[in-house]
Amino acid sequence: MYRDTWAEIDLTQIRENIIEIRKFLPRSTKLMAVVKANAYGHGDIETAKEAVEAGADYLACAFIEEAIRIRNAGLQQPILILTPIRPELVPLALEHDLMLTVTQASWFHEMRKYKPIHTPHKLSVHVKMDTGLGRIGIRTQEEWLEMVPWLRAPDVVVDGFYTHFATAGEADNRYLQLQIQRFLEMKEWSSISRIPINHYHCAGSVAALRFPELCMDMARIGAAIYGFYPEKLVPNIQLKPAFSMHSRLLQMKKLKEGEYVGYNNAYQTDSDQWIGTVPIGYADGWSQRMQNSEVLVEGVRAKIIGKISMDQLMVKLPMYFPEGSKVTFVGYSGDQEIQIQELANHIGGVSQEITSSITDRVLRIYKEGGGVHHEITGSRTKTY
Ligand SMILES: *Cc1c(COP(=O)(O)O)cnc(C)c1O
């Protein structure tokens, strides 16, 4: 590692979270570990391996590139791609034994140009229903009936039938109830059509933890694996984050009252002040919205001041710190902690938005059982 900015991923914590979630779900419910977006920034392959070892039955990705990376890493579990792929990519998906999300009869029509019906490979699909998220999926029985003949093809297996909730994280669950009601009706359509379907599923992390009885055959768990969940709404489980991120002070300077800091003169000192520069910026995923949020410098809180630039940002320090002092953006430093939730509140977003935005430029260091295991950034891997 040459650069003084890194993220630490506690794989043991990810494992413990999955084991806790597993205990929480009904026994007959399979656990699909969602590792899209580089496992919410935690490292896709490392997380997928850990998830499988901890008992995940399925894996899920957003896009075909992500799924191929995981398959090529040697994982044998079923992998569902949550976003529909272009029909011409079906042979590529089959080559890597990937399951597809389907939402339209016209997709199958087009797909048949690339996969003739009598080819030996079976295509495993999960049909996505839109019960009110308004994103992707079938909304009407008409659309479903158009899809049915394609689903009956001898080389098609309907491994799943699913939907996704819009308001699982909100205390008021009336809209969630409406979506469930609609999903149960749609489930009826599938029974009437006598299409054999292996798994019905509807819950992501928050719905699964709040209403385990809703999970049906499978729960698609992303955020909770990484320790992100609304603690107030789910008091009966304890999950912890696995992600922390740190850097080191690059330069210290004492500015006089009235001096400017950062682009556009966005900050002006109101007294003589210690200002520290840290080598991390928005190109690392530390967005300009983080301006005025806090970091820990050797356990002491300090505010990010001025505009965050591409590779560097400045913090206002209450006292002198030597260059090289540890700066913690997320996680513990001394007896202080910066929680991701605090930062999410600062930007008006969610925890997973922050971790999944951390770019490849930031080295991920993996810890298992407390010790450092090995580190990966982008395509570079180093094992100790
Ligand atoms: C991302 C995603 C999930 C995982 O959601 P979490 O809230 O992170 O558990 C589940 N289902 C679908 C369709 C998704 O896109």
Side-chain angles (χ1 to χ4, degrees):
M1 176 167 108
Y2 302 122
R3 186 182 170 202
D4 276 341
T5 299
W6 72 97
E8 291 176 18
I9 315 298
D10 186 344
L11 291 173
T12 307
Q13 190 58 57
I14 288 179
R15 174 191 299 250
E16 282 170 15
N17 289 343
I18 293 173
I19 291 170
E20 281 305 303
I21 297 161
R22 174 75 276 169
K23 281 195 248 165
F24 211 75
L25 298 177
R27 270 208 186 175
S28 58
T29 298
K30 291 182 184 165
L31 196 159
M32 172 184 276
V34 181
V35 294
K36 62 191 179 189
N38 196 26
Y40 295 36
H42 294 63
D44 53 358
I45 291 167
E46 297 294 321
T47 302
K49 284 186 175 163
E50 199 66 30
V52 165
E53 279 176 34
D57 306 284
Y58 271 62
L59 296 166
C61 294
F63 302 115
I64 189 165
E65 284 86 348
E66 295 176 342
I68 289 174
R69 262 178 64 83
I70 290 184
R71 182 61 82 220
N72 284 348
L75 288 148
Q76 318 256 308
Q77 271 60 29
I79 303 175
L80 175 65
I81 304 174
L82 296 164
T83 316
I85 66 167
R86 292 200 303 273
E88 67 266 32
L89 296 175
V90 162
L92 184 66
L94 286 170
E95 185 190 323
H96 293 91
D97 192 16
L98 304 173
M99 292 186 178
L100 304 181
T101 292
V102 294
T103 58
Q104 284 172 322
S106 58
W107 180 90
F108 275 99
H109 182 77
E110 192 61 22
M111 178 277 283
R112 282 303 180 199
K113 294 185 198 155
Y114 306 95
K115 185 192 186 312
I117 202 157
H118 293 301
T119 45
H121 280 109
K122 286 200 189 273
L123 184 64
S124 254
V125 300
H126 285 228
V127 185
K128 180 74 179 282
M129 311 305 286
D130 179 3
T131 52
L133 181 58
R135 198 165 70 178
I136 53 168
I138 291 178
R139 286 180 86 97
T140 65
Q141 192 168 17
E142 222 176 4
E143 289 169 84
W144 165 254
L145 291 173
E146 260 182 81
M147 179 89 101
V148 165
W150 299 102
L151 298 177
R152 285 197 210 285
D155 63 338
V156 171
V157 176
V158 186
D159 188 63
F161 183 99
Y162 76 112
T163 192
H164 196 47
F165 296 128
T167 60
E170 287 172 28
D172 181 344
N173 58 24
R174 278 173 296 180
Y175 195 70
L176 185 102
Q177 295 293 350
L178 174 72
Q179 284 197 265
I180 293 164
Q181 226 30 62
R182 287 185 181 159
F183 191 53
L184 293 176
E185 271 171 50
M186 291 169 169
K187 208 169 166 239
E188 271 303 299
W189 305 345
S190 72
S191 314
I192 294 165
S193 303
R194 294 172 167 276
I195 298 277
I197 293 174
N198 296 340
H199 306 93
Y200 289 91
H201 52 109
C202 57
S205 292
V206 186
L209 295 181
R210 285 181 73 194
F211 313 106
E213 68 281 4
L214 281 186
C215 288
M216 305 181 185
D217 304 311
M218 199 181 291
R220 305 182 304 272
I221 310 289
I225 287 176
Y226 311 102
F228 306 150
Y229 69 112
E231 288 166 46
K232 287 206 183 87
L233 292 176
V234 196
N236 299 331
I237 193 166
Q238 271 227 323
L239 307 172
K240 290 196 210 113
F243 183 97
S244 64
M245 191 170 74
H246 315 271
S247 185
R248 292 190 184 281
L249 276 185
L250 181 66
Q251 191 175 343
M252 272 299 273
K253 61 190 66 184
K254 185 142 197 198
L255 294 188
K256 295 231 175 317
E257 181 184 344
E259 299 273 12
Y260 292 104
V261 178
Y263 285 125
N264 302 4
N265 291 347
Y267 180 80
Q268 187 175 28
T269 55
D270 53 15
S271 59
D272 291 4
Q273 262 167 25
W274 284 108
I275 302 293
T277 302
V278 192
I280 180 173
Y282 60 75
D284 299 301
W286 216 246
S287 137
Q288 292 194 321
R289 290 186 292 163
M290 291 296 187
Q291 184 174 339
N292 294 324
S293 72
E294 292 183 330
V295 305
L296 296 170
V297 180
E298 301 290 354
V300 176
R301 280 193 176 251
K303 191 179 265 196
I304 298 175
I305 43 107
K307 280 210 180 300
I308 294 176
S309 50
M310 187 180 265
D311 317 305
Q312 290 161 41
L313 55 77
M314 278 66 84
V315 294
K316 173 181 152 182
L317 293 160
M319 64 191 104
Y320 170 82
F321 283 91
E323 287 162 4
S325 295
K326 190 169 174 185
V327 181
T328 295
F329 288 84
V330 179
Y332 281 96
S333 173
D335 58 359
Q336 290 286 311
E337 184 189 12
I338 305 267
Q339 293 190 346
I340 297 201
Q341 188 57 52
E342 167 184 342
L343 300 165
N345 293 345
H346 181 84
I347 63 168
V350 289
S351 301
Q352 51 268 45
E353 180 180 352
I354 296 172
T355 55
S356 66
S357 300
I358 303 302
T359 61
D360 261 4
R361 214 164 72 153
V362 177
L363 189 76
R364 267 68 166 180
I365 297 183
Y366 293 95
K367 295 189 300 182
E368 216 151 1
V372 171
H373 175 48
H374 63 256
E375 45 185 65
I376 289 183
T377 179
S379 54
R380 279 177 289 144
T381 302
K382 192 160 131 195
T383 304
Y384 297 107

